[in-house]
Amino acid sequence: MAAVISAASTPATTRISDVVYRADGAPASGTVLISWPAFTTLDSNPVAAGSRTVVLGPQGALSVDLVPNLGAIPAGTLYRVVYQTESGVTTEYWSVGTSSPTIIAAVRTTPGSGTASALVSRQYVDTVVAGKANDTAVVHNNGNETITGSKQFSAPPTVPTPLLATDAANKAYVDSAVGNVGGGSYVSKAGDNMTGPLTLSGDPTAPGQATTRQYVDTGLAAKADRVAGRVPPSELGSGSADATKCLKGDQSWGACGTSSDAISLRGIPLDTTAPGDGQVPTYDAAGGMYRPRAGGGSGLTAGMQAVKYATDFAWTATPSDDLSTAGAKTVNLAACPSGVKGSASEYDIRIAGSGTPETVRVTGGTCSGTGAAGTLQFTTANTHAAGYTVASASAGIREAIEAAGTPNAKIVVPPSGTTGYDIYSLIIRSSRVELSGYGAQLNCYTRGACIVNGDRLSSLINRRNYIRGFRLRPMLNIPSVGLTQVARSSNVSTITTSASHPFTVGDYVVILWTTDKSFYGLYQVRSVPTSTTFTLDGFGSNVPSTASTGSANLELAGIEDNANESTIDDVEFLANTGLERFNFGFVFDNDQGAEVHNPGNNGSGNIFRCDAIHCAPIIYSPGPFTLSAGQLGGAAIATTGVWQWNSVAVGECSDH
């Protein structure tokens, strides 16, 4: 082996220490031939060209010291290492650094990474050119070539102005070409204005197509003219027309016919007998012809026509007038239903559909119940947005009474099954009215009495009304409250309750069991100063604020009567499924000859309120009025009666 010559000192060496294995993993045996060209180390030590043979030790051990050639001059200087083992001869190259000791894998390298003049192996060349494209598969700078497939550019390519139809176009060329598009003589599909006539290819063949003037003129040619809103008589039919002539079926003007000309209806003969006033032809099967019907055209006698059915008068309307704020209002009805009158006394209607529903008193209006347009006036406590409805508050019963007139009317409320009719207000302000409700159930949503018979302020206005056959069901649960103090000044009573009371202005309240009995009675609430006080329009001498027991009870009655000589027959009180209760059954104000026959109840425990504060009486007469005398017969109700000042004769009772 040639010696390593140093001008100044021996260069440092790096020890390569490793184990050489065969391909099957067994330690190799043999020799390793290491050769190198002349080079100068990185630290300027010259090394002469030479070689060295190393015998592999036991178990393939290799240990050899070499001068580092990494970074040597000339660049790319490598140790050539040839393994001669029992497996054959292999060659590799080492680039040795200064880190010592090291292993074979750390120094093994591929020739060719250095200078262009150094020799390289085929392996190096193949590795370098493996990722290069073939010349025929790339786009060249010059010449005509065809590209297959799409190409994407990260930046816009620059192309010259196109000359041929298939040339790529640049942005400037496109912008110039489309600069005037849409600015010429075109009609926009989105809508446009034309300054000249449009000529169509022909007449339209489908409903949505544009039409020509010719098509319109041809279609109108066969139509009649209209002069001052009328078709000229000459275009309606042939012949001359005047006030004495009529247009006949053959489109000619001639003498007008009369009813005597009609000899049949749809082929069925008409009797030649002239009809009387109000008569209409009806079919007579025996004679095989139409004859004037005896007894009037409707077949109903005047008495039969006087009977009104409440369901025929139930009504609902949806006005458009603004009720979005509370207060005095006027609504317009296109047709005021029969019985709907702005002048009716104590007439209430129901507002619902939007906002909080409420019952309001009609205070005026032009509606007269004839079907003509009119108005209704009232005052709302709640607000109602658009879409609200106004309707009967009595399922048509009050409207039927108004339509029948007074006196001497009969109103029938048809059977209702178990559903019943919802009643929010029903006040009878007529005389000699028979209100028949056999089979009808009234669902009582009223805070006062479900049925009020007569004027509450005077029993002399209405009289001799008959209320028969109804079944009354409570729909509200409003308990009574106890009292702690009472006072009266200038006929205004102030009542203080032991807990919050449920009363509002206008409610009818019954005061019972006060220490001072002069406060007993049925009153209307005048004001509500606090949740535990309210005032009443009372009467009597002044009373200073005094501690008192007693109860205040919302009326919540079945029937209140203040029309003289009234008769109430076969009225039954029904239970509800919840806590809804009546606070009173019948309330008689000042009826001088009231009679109640065969009252009854169905489920007394769930009909009348009875608790520590109030136990509902079936009959209550508040007074103090002119002495009244009444008769209760055939009673089938298990409850109590309360009479204050007035007297009631009770006979033929079967209490159970």
Side-chain angles (χ1 to χ4, degrees):
M1 182 178 73
V4 177
I5 302 174
S6 174
S9 62
T10 302
T13 61
T14 297
R15 176 163 293 180
I16 296 92
S17 180
D18 210 335
V19 176
V20 179
Y21 294 93
R22 298 187 316 208
D24 61 2
S29 62
T31 59
V32 179
L33 302 179
I34 304 173
S35 60
W36 58 90
F39 64 91
T40 301
T41 65
L42 185 62
D43 54 358
S44 302
N45 289 312
V47 177
S51 64
R52 182 177 179 180
T53 300
V54 180
V55 178
L56 294 176
Q59 299 298 315
L62 171 65
S63 180
V64 59
D65 295 327
L66 297 175
V67 175
N69 62 347
L70 181 64
I73 300 173
T77 300
L78 300 175
Y79 287 100
R80 185 172 184 269
V81 181
V82 178
Y83 295 92
Q84 295 178 342
T85 66
E86 66 270 33
S87 298
V89 178
T90 58
T91 302
E92 66 182 21
Y93 297 88
W94 289 356
S95 177
V96 180
T98 58
S99 178
S100 181
T102 187
I103 60 176
I104 296 173
V107 299
R108 184 180 289 133
T109 187
T110 301
S113 59
T115 62
S117 60
L119 296 176
V120 296
S121 65
R122 175 181 175 180
Q123 176 187 359
Y124 174 79
V125 174
D126 291 344
T127 301
V128 170
V129 302
K132 306 298 181 181
N134 294 331
D135 183 69
T136 58
V138 297
V139 178
H140 297 82
N141 290 334
N142 300 312
N144 297 328
E145 294 174 328
T146 301
I147 300 174
T148 60
S150 61
K151 299 294 182 288
Q152 294 183 349
F153 300 92
S154 59
T158 301
V159 296
T161 301
L163 299 176
L164 302 178
T166 57
D167 289 351
N170 55 34
K171 182 177 183 297
Y173 177 82
V174 175
D175 290 345
S176 175
V178 302
N180 294 322
V181 172
S185 300
Y186 305 104
V187 177
S188 173
K189 292 174 65 176
D192 216 333
N193 293 323
M194 297 180 60
T195 58
L198 176 66
T199 301
L200 301 178
S201 61
D203 291 340
T205 58
Q209 293 179 349
T211 184
T212 62
R213 175 181 174 180
Q214 174 185 342
Y215 179 82
V216 175
D217 291 345
T218 301
L220 291 177
K223 305 297 182 182
D225 297 322
R226 188 173 67 175
V227 179
R230 298 181 179 181
V231 176
S234 60
E235 296 187 21
L236 292 174
S238 60
S240 61
D242 56 44
T244 65
K245 295 180 180 179
C246 296
L247 183 64
K248 296 182 175 295
D250 60 357
Q251 293 184 315
S252 65
W253 292 99
C256 296
T258 64
S259 59
S260 61
D261 297 329
I263 60 175
S264 66
L265 288 176
R266 300 186 64 84
I268 299 176
L270 281 170
D271 190 7
T272 57
T273 303
D277 183 27
Q279 287 184 316
V280 296
T282 56
Y283 181 67
D284 178 10
M289 64 175 60
Y290 286 100
R291 301 180 186 275
R293 184 181 182 91
S298 65
L300 300 176
T301 64
M304 296 171 67
Q305 292 177 354
V307 177
K308 306 296 182 184
Y309 286 82
T311 48
D312 295 338
F313 296 87
W315 64 280
T316 300
T318 308
S320 59
D321 303 279
D322 185 10
L323 301 187
S324 60
T325 58
K329 302 295 178 183
T330 299
V331 296
N332 290 268
L333 302 184
C336 298
S338 181
V340 177
K341 301 177 181 179
S343 60
S345 298
E346 294 186 277
Y347 173 47
D348 297 330
I349 61 175
R350 184 72 173 170
I351 304 177
S354 68
T356 302
E358 61 180 312
T359 302
V360 296
R361 176 65 46 85
V362 173
T363 56
T366 61
C367 277
S368 58
T370 61
T375 61
L376 292 176
Q377 297 173 347
F378 47 80
T379 298
T380 60
N382 304 322
T383 60
H384 304 277
Y388 67 87
T389 60
V390 293
S392 172
S394 61
I397 300 174
R398 175 61 189 271
E399 287 79 5
I401 295 172
E402 292 296 325
T406 185
N408 304 327
K410 180 172 182 176
I411 310 301
V412 176
V413 182
S416 63
T418 58
T419 302
Y421 302 102
D422 293 342
I423 303 299
Y424 299 95
S425 171
L426 175 51
I427 303 174
I428 304 173
R429 289 302 313 275
S430 299
S431 296
R432 297 183 180 88
V433 171
E434 180 181 341
L435 186 59
S436 177
Y438 286 97
Q441 172 183 311
L442 302 186
N443 301 321
C444 301
Y445 287 93
T446 53
R447 293 172 65 88
C450 191
I451 301 175
V452 177
N453 180 34
D455 187 331
R456 280 189 171 105
L457 299 180
S458 174
S459 62
L460 302 178
I461 297 177
N462 303 117
R463 61 186 301 153
R464 287 190 177 275
N465 290 329
Y466 300 85
I467 302 172
R468 291 173 168 154
F470 287 101
R471 308 177 77 197
L472 307 180
R473 187 177 192 180
M475 302 301 291
L476 299 179
N477 174 30
I478 305 179
S480 303
V481 290
L483 306 184
T484 59
Q485 285 185 319
V486 295
R488 186 187 300 120
S489 177
S490 301
N491 289 329
V492 176
S493 298
T494 300
I495 309 297
T496 303
T497 58
S498 59
S500 294
H501 63 74
F503 310 129
T504 61
V505 174
D507 279 342
Y508 284 90
V509 176
V510 177
I511 303 298
L512 289 175
W513 318 121
T514 51
T515 305
D516 183 344
K517 293 184 179 181
S518 68
F519 285 91
Y520 277 32
L522 172 64
Y523 306 94
Q524 190 171 23
V525 175
R526 180 173 184 172
S527 67
V528 181
T530 70
S531 62
T532 56
T533 60
F534 59 95
T535 65
L536 307 170
D537 286 325
F539 55 88
S541 59
N542 291 346
V543 176
S545 182
T546 305
S548 178
T549 58
S551 65
N553 316 277
L554 196 65
E555 184 179 13
L556 279 180
I559 298 176
E560 180 183 350
D561 174 30
N562 199 37
N564 263 317
E565 302 173 281
S566 298
T567 299
I568 302 173
D569 294 335
D570 305 324
V571 170
E572 182 180 20
F573 296 91
L574 296 180
N576 209 325
T577 57
L579 298 177
E580 299 82 0
R581 300 287 188 274
F582 284 120
N583 285 343
F584 299 89
F586 302 103
V587 175
F588 290 97
D589 297 334
N590 190 31
D591 191 336
Q592 299 297 304
E595 294 186 13
V596 180
H597 303 144
N598 303 317
N601 66 328
N602 185 347
S604 61
N606 295 323
I607 300 175
F608 299 102
R609 184 175 309 283
C610 192
D611 53 32
I613 297 176
H614 175 70
C615 201
I618 182 61
I619 293 181
Y620 170 68
S621 183
F625 300 110
T626 304
L627 185 66
S628 66
Q631 181 175 353
L632 174 65
I637 297 179
T639 184
T640 60
V642 176
W643 296 270
Q644 176 65 21
W645 285 294
N646 295 351
S647 62
V648 177
V650 180
E652 302 178 6
C653 291
S654 57
D655 187 19
H656 67 83

